[in-house]
Amino acid sequence: MRAERCARTWSAVLLVMTSSVLTPVAWAGTSAWRRPATAPPPAADDHVPAVARGWPVGRRPEILRGWDPPAGPYGPGHRGVDLAAAPGDPVRAVAAGRVVFAGRVAGRGVVSVDLADTGDPPLRTTYEPVSASVGEGDEVEPGGELGVLETSTAHCPRACLHWGLRRGEVYLDPLALLPPWLLRAGPSRLLPLHNVPLP
């Protein structure tokens, strides 16, 4: 009798343990066993031409955080690059285009520029946090001032410009706008030689 009761107790314990392990899997459905989604490869029309004529801040700013596209539309990632700059530094258009937005979003100043001659829909660059000196509809030239960097540490541990790029709803790497010579550390420089005898 005691052995029978013990066997029933262990059967009940085993049933409870099995159901508690399998129930979340059943609720989750088959998607619980799928691999995480990966970012789709860029379409042919997502090619980014190197149309930039300069950096948006400084001559060759430090990149504090690079482009890290999310695996899905709501996944973690970084949809732009963060460039080190000081509050009050001028923020410049990297290429010719038209301002399509200059205002505040979630308390931060944002400027968006549709780049000229980059297809349909055009490539759009975004700059934040920026206190804008341009308005919607303004035409800008490469190097034209869009405003100045605002004081903010909400996005970076220190002051930075978040620079983004997209075509339609697809986010792209803004560094792809820069020609290779702008991405390099800088040109070689010849320094004067002192106290060296001539041959």
Side-chain angles (χ1 to χ4, degrees):
M1 179 80 174
R2 185 172 174 189
E4 186 178 318
R5 200 171 352 149
C6 186
R8 273 189 290 184
T9 302
W10 280 109
S11 296
V13 168
L14 185 59
L15 179 63
V16 169
M17 288 176 58
T18 305
S19 65
S20 68
V21 169
L22 292 179
T23 300
V25 174
W27 280 103
T30 57
S31 64
W33 300 102
R34 289 187 188 150
R35 299 177 89 176
T38 57
D45 62 348
D46 289 338
H47 169 70
V48 178
V51 295
R53 295 294 169 256
W55 289 87
V57 287
R59 298 187 118 208
R60 175 60 172 92
E62 179 186 355
I63 298 172
L64 300 177
R65 186 173 178 198
W67 186 63
D68 181 20
Y74 307 108
H78 193 231
R79 293 170 173 85
V81 296
D82 293 336
L83 305 174
D89 281 357
V91 177
R92 303 183 183 282
V94 296
R98 186 175 57 85
V99 177
V100 292
F101 181 81
R104 303 204 72 75
V105 176
R108 288 184 295 218
V110 177
V111 176
S112 297
V113 177
D114 279 358
L115 302 183
D117 304 319
T118 57
D120 186 28
L123 290 170
R124 176 173 292 175
T125 54
T126 57
Y127 311 82
E128 64 175 284
V130 176
S131 178
S133 59
V134 292
E136 188 174 326
D138 288 352
E139 299 288 330
V140 293
E141 294 298 318
E145 191 170 317
L146 302 172
V148 295
L149 189 68
E150 294 179 342
T151 303
S152 173
T153 55
H155 186 73
C156 298
R158 64 185 207 212
C160 76
L161 173 75
H162 177 80
W163 179 33
L165 175 68
R166 68 182 210 188
R167 186 187 297 280
E169 298 303 313
V170 178
Y171 287 87
L172 303 165
D173 183 0
L175 294 179
L177 289 170
L178 296 170
W181 63 271
L182 274 174
L183 288 169
R184 290 192 293 268
S188 300
R189 294 183 182 160
L190 296 175
L191 299 175
L193 296 175
H194 297 290
N195 301 324
V196 176
L198 293 174

